[in-house]
Amino acid sequence: MLSIITPHYNRHEYLKELAKTLEPQLTEECEWLIIDDNSKNKDFSYIQKGKVIILDDNSGGASIPRNVGLDNAKGKYIAFIDSDDLVSDDYIETILNKTKEDWDYCLFSWKTKGQKIIIKDQPPKWNCCVWNCVYKRELIGNTRFRIDLKMAEDYYFNLEVRKGKKANIEKILYYYQDTPNSLTKQGETYNTKYQRK
């Protein structure tokens, strides 16, 4: 029913924390695809239920790993989680319950840097990410992330696929961590952390 796609590159410390929360939620109705972008450390023995696909070459961005995930995903619905972020303990359960309703894509609330972003209708104009949304697979079709972009690939993907009937989940399901050296923060020097609560 649900495929979760996580691009990964040299983020084992964070991915382990994500796995602790996400893997206990996995059921026969969902799969977790971790697409490793040829990390230096290829030991994923701590992943018990997720499926790891290791790319032969490093792509330098999230587009190719996400596209490989889409090519291998079997779910009716697609969600994306970045490897250095966290989700709520009922992330999967909440999404699966929402799939009982009729929609093409569903936005949900998130927290970052101590700020709560509650989605009652549209996300903030500055937000164009794919990690705060669940997409019906047939809506995505053959659309893929642009491989010529290392940043803002989410924006162009969403221009193509966020169409049709929209739904919202006001509950916070995602915890964006703003980790050092993340693609969205390249060029900035700071280290903002918070605890999932």
Side-chain angles (χ1 to χ4, degrees):
M1 181 63 74
L2 174 66
S3 293
I4 300 168
I5 298 170
T6 296
H8 173 268
Y9 177 67
N10 292 339
R11 285 287 194 271
H12 286 285
E13 175 186 356
Y14 298 103
L15 186 63
K16 287 178 182 178
E17 291 303 310
L18 174 60
K20 288 178 183 178
T21 301
L22 190 62
E23 289 201 308
Q25 302 182 45
L26 294 173
T27 67
E28 292 181 357
E29 290 187 283
C30 51
E31 63 176 354
W32 183 25
L33 301 174
I34 301 138
I35 315 301
D36 179 67
D37 206 3
N38 197 22
S39 293
K40 295 177 181 178
N41 178 2
K42 297 177 177 59
D43 180 11
F44 289 88
S45 58
Y46 57 90
I47 298 295
Q48 302 300 314
K49 295 182 179 179
K51 178 182 178 181
V52 179
I53 299 174
I54 300 177
L55 303 186
D56 294 330
D57 298 298
N58 178 257
S59 69
S63 291
I64 289 178
R66 284 176 176 159
N67 289 343
V68 170
L70 287 172
D71 291 341
N72 286 273
K74 300 177 182 178
K76 181 178 179 180
Y77 296 87
I78 304 291
F80 298 92
I81 302 176
D82 286 352
S83 60
D84 52 0
D85 291 338
L86 296 171
V87 295
S88 66
D89 293 328
D90 58 352
Y91 174 87
I92 290 176
E93 179 184 8
T94 302
I95 291 175
L96 289 179
N97 284 337
K98 194 69 176 179
T99 62
K100 298 174 183 177
E101 302 175 17
D102 179 31
W103 46 266
D104 294 301
Y105 68 99
C106 180
L107 300 161
F108 50 79
S109 302
W110 74 92
K111 180 180 178 183
T112 180
K113 294 190 293 186
Q115 181 182 13
K116 296 179 180 179
I117 310 296
I118 306 300
I119 302 299
K120 294 186 178 181
D121 185 24
Q122 296 290 348
K125 291 183 179 180
W126 49 263
N127 179 265
C128 62
C129 298
V130 294
W131 46 252
N132 66 332
C133 189
V134 183
Y135 306 84
K136 187 174 286 186
R137 177 56 184 267
E138 65 183 37
L139 183 73
I140 296 175
N142 294 322
T143 301
R144 295 294 184 267
F145 292 88
R146 287 178 53 176
I147 63 174
D148 61 317
L149 298 175
K150 302 302 180 185
M151 298 181 68
E153 71 284 348
D154 308 50
Y155 173 76
Y156 292 98
F157 180 82
N158 282 326
L159 281 180
E160 295 294 325
V161 303
R162 282 191 184 176
K163 300 174 181 179
K165 190 172 182 180
K166 178 178 65 65
N168 297 324
I169 297 175
E170 291 190 26
K171 185 172 184 177
I172 292 175
L173 298 184
Y174 201 94
Y175 297 84
Y176 179 70
Q177 297 206 92
D178 284 346
T179 57
N181 301 319
S182 67
L183 285 175
T184 55
K185 296 300 178 184
Q186 281 183 353
E188 298 182 22
T189 55
Y190 74 95
N191 185 355
T192 301
K193 291 187 177 181
Y194 65 90
Q195 296 295 319
R196 181 172 57 87
K197 296 181 180 178

